[in-house]
Amino acid sequence: MIQIIEAPQSQVHRRDMAFHARTIIEPFKVRCVEPLPMTSREHREAKLREARHNLFALRAEDVTIDLMTDSGTGAMSQAQWSALMSGDESYAGSRSFFEFESVVRELTGKRHVIPTHQGRAAERILFGAIGRPGLVVPANAHFDTTRANVTASGCEALDLVIAEGNDPRSLHPFKGDVDLARLDALLCERGASVPLVLVTVTNNTGGGQPVSMGNLRAVRELCTRHAVPLFLDCARFAENAYFIKTREPGFSDRSVESIAQEMFRLAHGALMSAKKDGLVNIGGFLALDDDAWARSCRSALILTEGFPTYGGLAGRDLAALAVGLREVLDERYLDYRVASVRYLHDHLARLGVPLLSPPGGHAVYLDGRAFLPHVAPRDLPGQALSIALYREAGIRAVEIGTVMFGRTGEDGRQIPSPMDLVRLALPRRVYTQSHVDYVIEAVGYVFERRAALGGYRIVDEPPTLRHFDCGFEPIADERGMRPGGK
Ligand code: F0G
């Protein structure tokens, strides 16, 4: 096992400051503010009923702290807003496209850079071009939309994360690593049916856990041996590179940028949801070297997204993205980003709240099953906890467990997924420490009263990606928790 080397917390600040500050400050100040909705418990109970207890159906104006996702919810910098104003909106050959293309090429080293409106469009286009029934796509773990797009193309999606990656309490520093023995076995047995190997950095499904460079290098070696291309799902590549720098021996003196470049150079291509580490509200891309694949992808792009120099985005979006992809590699920003997540994690851990540890780069994941041990996994403990956080404190989290990855069995009962997590994702550069303190207090409040919470059942569901649209009802007559009551 790799030894954890936690870099001094304020690595960058120490270098610059005259004194050794323990406080990692936001490396920005705020110049534009948005009012925060404040609601009553009664109001939230009514909204929950209207939403069929599905938090995706709530209006944002009824949510006080929105930790549903870090995707497209970040704040742009003044440099990005300036870039937005000078975006070139030409249909073909836009200047903003070439700015974006040159940043992505420098980062990834790939010849073909294909913009898409977001990550799942890149997934659909790539797997639409290369997928067919009978093929299998192994990954450390597929995110939900990735799995859905792989499956929609006829391929089987197979998750091969290391065993520690499914153990919420394992302190392995790289719980996103691929299980090399299982990957090797699959490639030996069915290599000819594997169009590519996908590594998600960081592994969102497993808790935003990073993948080590050592593991990526070993995966690449296996891919080379079996002549199978390696692709990254690189939505959170900068956070992953930061963890390599701070946790993996031999990387502390490297810049995060050079680590990210090495990650990309180990792969033959990458799928990006720029709504995360692109620091923009919309955008994505595909980057790859293979000319034939790039040609098929561009044809599909023209059919459904747009001409290859805008790919479903406005020129201004590409201009802001070109700036965001540079800003995200600022190590002061990454120090602050990872420290904010760790702050939330460590304070909740001190209260005894069961969590996925160590914390990842974009979110803290509560272990819903351990939080509500009296609610059976088939009764959706993660959903029950998410609902309680909204009802009690106006906080919107997202269940990443049986609702998202399980399914309804023949007998109508839920077939649980390996874990029932509740993700508190921190949008980038949006909430301050007092917002996070409020969240800590709220989770602590619900934790003290957890015995009063009951399970939920699904009352209607669509055939795919059911979590976005299904309806729930409480199993028992839920009185909820009254303030002050236990
Ligand atoms: N890959 C990963 C690892 C993701 O986390 C996401 C999205 C996607 C692909 C799809 O990208 O949303 O731009 O189409 N994750 C969001 C989340 C939705 O909340 O974690 P998209």
Side-chain angles (χ1 to χ4, degrees):
M1 178 165 142
I2 304 159
Q3 175 200 357
I4 297 193
I5 304 181
E6 276 295 355
Q9 290 204 349
S10 56
Q11 206 169 45
V12 177
H13 295 262
R14 281 188 187 201
R15 220 185 294 139
D16 298 353
M17 296 288 185
F19 75 108
H20 285 187
R22 280 189 304 115
T23 310
I24 298 180
I25 57 173
E26 283 83 357
F28 51 80
K29 51 187 180 175
V30 180
R31 192 145 47 75
C32 173
V33 296
E34 178 185 336
L36 214 55
M38 299 291 188
T39 56
S40 69
R41 189 178 191 279
E42 243 181 336
H43 177 87
R44 294 191 296 269
E45 276 185 329
K47 294 296 161 189
L48 274 172
R49 280 192 298 273
E50 274 172 37
R52 294 143 52 239
H53 297 94
N54 187 330
L55 303 181
F56 283 99
L58 291 173
R59 288 184 181 214
E61 65 192 22
D62 297 317
V63 176
T64 301
I65 306 275
D66 205 343
L67 305 184
M68 171 165 262
T69 181
D70 63 321
S71 180
T73 52
M76 290 205 296
S77 66
Q78 59 183 2
Q80 288 180 288
W81 283 104
S82 310
L84 208 80
M85 291 304 293
S86 52
D88 175 0
E89 302 305 339
S90 304
Y91 186 94
S94 147
R95 172 177 37 78
S96 302
F97 168 76
F98 292 110
E99 285 163 13
F100 153 81
E101 183 189 49
S102 102
V103 171
V104 177
R105 274 199 182 142
E106 194 184 319
L107 177 65
T108 64
K110 305 293 167 260
R111 252 198 329 276
H112 301 287
V113 178
I114 301 174
T116 60
H117 79 273
Q118 61 182 87
R120 68 199 70 181
E123 293 162 3
R124 181 185 55 75
I125 285 168
L126 179 67
F127 292 110
I130 65 165
R132 59 183 155 78
L135 301 186
V136 53
V137 177
N140 49 348
H142 295 79
F143 185 63
D144 61 351
T145 58
T146 325
R147 171 176 299 280
N149 276 301
V150 166
T151 311
S153 77
C155 298
E156 181 192 344
L158 196 64
D159 289 350
L160 299 176
V161 76
I162 53 171
E164 290 88 338
N166 283 324
D167 172 2
R169 263 157 289 284
S170 157
L171 290 178
H172 191 291
F174 291 101
K175 287 164 79 169
D177 279 358
V178 178
D179 184 327
L180 298 168
R182 288 169 69 202
L183 179 62
D184 192 25
L186 177 82
L187 291 173
C188 286
E189 241 172 72
R190 299 178 64 186
S193 306
V194 177
L196 58 81
V197 173
L198 190 67
V199 179
T200 309
V201 292
T202 57
N203 177 16
N204 187 11
T205 308
Q209 300 293 321
V211 178
S212 64
M213 190 71 89
N215 190 256
L216 267 181
R217 287 176 183 158
V219 171
R220 169 60 198 249
E221 247 177 67
L222 285 178
C223 286
T224 304
R225 198 174 325 140
H226 293 275
V228 172
L230 168 61
F231 270 61
L232 298 183
D233 176 348
C234 62
R236 298 177 181 85
F237 72 93
E239 289 166 8
N240 198 92
Y242 180 87
F243 282 121
I244 290 176
K245 180 179 169 96
T246 54
R247 291 183 181 175
E248 193 166 346
F251 289 90
S252 59
D253 291 334
R254 295 261 306 268
S255 70
V256 171
E257 183 178 9
S258 85
I259 294 171
Q261 284 171 332
E262 181 176 343
M263 286 162 47
F264 282 112
R265 276 154 187 78
L266 286 170
H268 299 88
L271 289 159
M272 174 72 175
S273 166
K275 299 170 72 174
K276 285 83 168 175
D277 276 350
L279 297 179
V280 287
N281 305 116
I282 195 74
F285 62 80
L286 250 171
L288 69 170
D289 272 335
D290 188 280
D291 295 332
W293 282 14
R295 167 154 276 210
S296 311
C297 289
R298 283 208 180 90
S299 301
L301 186 84
I302 293 174
L303 195 64
T304 57
E305 290 273 300
F307 190 71
T309 59
Y310 71 88
L313 292 167
R316 56 179 173 271
D317 297 328
L318 292 168
L321 176 50
V323 176
L325 286 170
R326 286 192 201 282
E327 281 183 1
V328 78
L329 292 167
D330 174 354
E331 298 186 14
R332 253 198 207 95
Y333 158 76
L334 286 165
D335 259 348
Y336 139 77
R337 170 78 178 151
V338 171
S340 313
V341 175
R342 189 169 47 225
Y343 177 87
L344 175 56
H345 170 277
D346 292 354
H347 279 77
L348 291 177
R350 249 172 253 159
L351 296 177
V353 173
L355 298 166
L356 197 150
S357 296
H362 68 294
V364 169
Y365 292 65
L366 310 179
D367 180 348
R369 232 172 249 184
F371 197 112
L372 299 176
H374 57 285
V375 176
R378 64 169 185 275
D379 297 337
L380 313 175
Q383 186 64 19
L385 174 54
S386 314
I387 290 169
L389 287 174
Y390 175 70
R391 188 182 52 224
E392 302 307 320
I395 296 168
R396 177 156 66 169
V398 71
E399 193 259 17
I400 299 204
T402 300
V403 177
M404 194 178 272
F405 292 113
R407 62 192 167 82
T408 306
E410 305 267 298
D411 59 358
R413 287 186 160 201
Q414 292 306 310
I415 301 173
S417 66
M419 297 194 274
D420 278 297
L421 302 175
V422 171
R423 185 181 74 175
L424 303 170
L426 293 181
R428 292 169 181 78
R429 308 189 288 203
V430 168
Y431 292 119
T432 65
Q433 184 173 339
S434 56
H435 293 125
V436 175
D437 286 336
Y438 172 83
V439 174
I440 294 164
E441 208 180 313
V443 176
Y445 176 89
V446 172
F447 186 57
E448 275 176 24
R449 290 156 182 81
R450 62 193 178 280
L453 298 181
Y456 280 76
R457 72 166 72 90
I458 293 178
V459 286
D460 62 272
E461 61 178 300
T464 52
L465 296 172
R466 67 179 185 173
H467 52 288
F468 290 123
D469 199 34
C470 60
F472 303 90
E473 66 182 22
I475 288 175
D477 172 27
E478 219 205 25
R479 278 161 289 123
M481 300 174 297
R482 296 293 152 200
K486 292 234 172 183

